[in-house]
């Protein structure tokens, strides 16, 4: 009987499933990316929320990434908090399994903001550090007060350990498996998102000691890599190369897309910049790609498969989307990892 059950399991659940849906036995860990919520309370949104429960690989999703714009301008975070708690319940996760960065809609007003953003825009490409004296409490940091209050309210007792300063660049290592580098690209946003983006590149350069050298790394941000000012983008590219970052995951454009970030390595290799569409509907919105992305790390394979899902407003469900596919099939990217011994030598040499 046991042998018969094994044969049935092998041929039906594994052999038959292969090529259609990979089995749970093939998966090491997985995560879902959502972005640009801009939540409006309507029947389509209520229906979509339940569809997140029906996504493939639901039982294998181990953590959630939210790449900015968690609410609409001039609205609070009440709907966002309810939805994120619901997602955690759907996937049976804890607050330690959700990672969030702010977007331009999460950046509010502060004293002299228009004057400050104009100054930074004018000088940033000549002086990559010109933002530093303004990205402090009492000035641009105050723009994230409502966002920071939301983070502290949402995470509750975990807030101090997860995000003591939610607006800052930082690294979170999920279960000694993967480094998740948080990049705030909205520190110089002036409300209409017409400026190129500024990051705290100085503090970013200090993150090396927070990276687990035994783990691969990804960056999560709101704005795509190409929207960052040139002077900072070149430095960011250097760190992406030196730290062997595997992928840059973002949102902002409301359009699902994929492009390459050329690294500074001698081989001239690239890493993917993957843009998630909008993950919550708005009745009058005919522009956005509605959907989410699931990322799957297979066992015994040092790579991640990228599975985008788009919202079908007729069937009221998420369908697998081929937008990021190529002639080879689903988009994949390798998980890069710096040699731990070499990494330690570099760190020690920096202390001399």
């Amino acid at each position: 009987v046991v042998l018969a059950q094994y044969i049935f399991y092998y041929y039906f659940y594994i052999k038959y499933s292969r090529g259609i849906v990979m089995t749970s036995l093939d998966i090491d860990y997985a995560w879902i990316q959502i972005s640009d919520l801009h939540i409006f309370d309507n029947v389509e949104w209520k229906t979509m929320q339940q569809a997140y429960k029906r996504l493939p690989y639901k039982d294998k999703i181990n953590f959630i990434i939210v790449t900015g714009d968690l609410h609409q301008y001039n609205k609070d975070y009440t709907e966002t908090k309810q939805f994120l708690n619901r997602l955690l319940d759907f996937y049976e996760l804890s607050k330690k399994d959700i990672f969030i960065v702010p977007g331009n809609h999460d950046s509010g007003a502060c004293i002299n903001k228009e004057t400050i953003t104009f100054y930074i825009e004018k000088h940033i490409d000549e002086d990559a550090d010109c933002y530093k004296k303004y990205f402090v409490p009492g000035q641009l940091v105050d723009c994230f007060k409502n966002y920071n209050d939301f983070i502290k309210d949402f995470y509750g007792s975990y807030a101090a350990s997860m995000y003591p300063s939610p607006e800052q660049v930082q690294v979170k290592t999920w279960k000694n498996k993967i480094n998740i580098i948080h990049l705030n690209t909205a520190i110089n946003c002036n409300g209409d998102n017409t400026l190129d983006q500024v990051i705290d590149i100085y503090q970013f350069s200090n993150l090396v000691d927070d990276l687990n050298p035994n783990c691969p790394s990804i960056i999560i941000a709101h704005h795509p890599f190409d929207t960052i000012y040139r002077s900072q983008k070149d430095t960011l590219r250097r760190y992406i190369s030196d730290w062997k970052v595997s992928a840059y995951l973002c949102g902002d454009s409301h359009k699902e897309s994929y492009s390459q970030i050329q690294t500074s390595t001698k081989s001239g290799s690239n890493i993917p910049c993957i843009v998630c569409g909008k993950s919550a509907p708005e009745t009058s919105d005919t522009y956005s790609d509605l959907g989410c992305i699931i990322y799957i790390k297979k066992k015994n394979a040092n790579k991640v498969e990228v599975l985008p899902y788009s919202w079908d407003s007729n069937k009221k469900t998420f369908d697998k989307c081929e937008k990021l596919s190529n002639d080879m099939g689903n988009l994949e990217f390798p998980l890069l990892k710096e040699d731990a011994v070499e990494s330690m030598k570099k760190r020690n040499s920096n202390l001399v």
Side-chain angles (χ1 to χ4, degrees), residues 80-266:
T80 305
K81 180 181 176 182
Q82 291 173 352
F83 171 55
L84 295 183
N85 278 321
R86 202 165 286 137
L87 273 190
L88 291 174
D89 288 342
F90 287 168
Y91 306 140
E92 299 181 4
L93 303 176
S94 79
K95 295 287 175 69
K96 292 182 177 181
D97 300 316
I98 183 166
F99 303 96
I100 303 174
V101 289
N104 50 291
H105 277 247
D106 303 304
S107 174
C110 71
I111 297 173
N112 297 324
K113 183 172 185 178
E114 186 174 349
T115 301
I116 293 171
T117 55
F118 175 78
Y119 173 85
I120 294 174
E121 179 190 23
K122 187 175 180 180
H123 294 90
I124 190 70
D125 272 337
E126 288 71 41
D127 178 8
D129 292 319
C130 72
Y131 70 92
K132 283 174 57 180
K133 59 185 176 182
Y134 299 109
F135 190 49
V136 294
Q139 298 193 65
L140 290 181
V141 166
D142 287 4
C143 298
F144 296 94
K145 181 184 183 307
N146 290 340
Y147 170 77
N148 290 352
D149 288 345
F150 156 70
I151 291 293
K152 290 171 183 175
D153 177 44
F154 173 70
Y155 281 93
S157 61
Y158 294 113
S161 59
M162 286 292 290
Y163 295 112
S165 299
E167 80 286 347
Q168 300 293 333
V169 296
Q170 53 203 294
V171 177
K172 298 297 171 188
T173 303
W174 179 78
K175 295 188 177 180
N176 289 320
K177 294 270 192 179
I178 188 168
N179 296 313
I180 303 171
I181 302 171
H182 295 51
L183 192 60
N184 181 356
T185 57
I187 67 176
N188 201 50
C189 288
N190 60 356
D192 57 7
N193 210 24
T194 57
L195 303 178
D196 280 347
Q197 309 310 323
V198 173
I199 60 175
D200 191 351
I201 194 67
Y202 177 80
Q203 290 301 333
F204 184 86
S205 69
N206 293 327
L207 293 181
V208 62
D209 291 329
D210 297 328
L211 294 169
N212 184 331
N214 298 308
C215 299
S217 301
I218 59 173
I219 289 176
I220 63 172
H222 181 59
H223 298 91
F225 179 83
D226 283 341
T227 68
I228 297 170
Y229 277 101
R230 175 187 53 78
S231 61
Q232 294 196 328
K233 184 163 55 179
D234 291 343
T235 305
L236 180 58
R237 190 193 315 275
R238 180 72 264 172
Y239 284 111
I240 285 174
S241 306
D242 290 348
W243 298 346
K244 290 185 166 48
V245 174
S246 299
Y248 182 108
L249 312 183
C250 58
D252 179 56
S253 68
H254 294 201
K255 290 289 187 182
E256 218 163 61
S257 66
Y258 158 75
S259 60
Q260 295 276 3
I261 299 173
Q262 185 173 0
T263 67
S264 301
T265 58
K266 292 181 180 179

Side-chain angles (χ1 to χ4, degrees), residues 287-326:
Y287 169 81
S288 300
D289 291 339
L290 297 178
C292 58
I293 304 176
I294 294 177
Y295 299 82
I296 293 179
K297 161 66 170 67
K298 299 177 184 177
K299 292 179 179 177
N300 303 316
N302 201 33
K303 61 185 178 181
V304 171
E305 188 170 2
V306 183
L307 303 174
Y309 288 86
S310 61
W311 177 248
D312 187 321
S313 59
N314 293 319
K315 295 192 296 183
K316 307 300 180 188
T317 193
F318 288 108
D319 281 338
K320 176 73 170 58
C321 171
E322 304 300 326
K323 193 166 185 178
L324 302 184
S325 301
N326 53 38

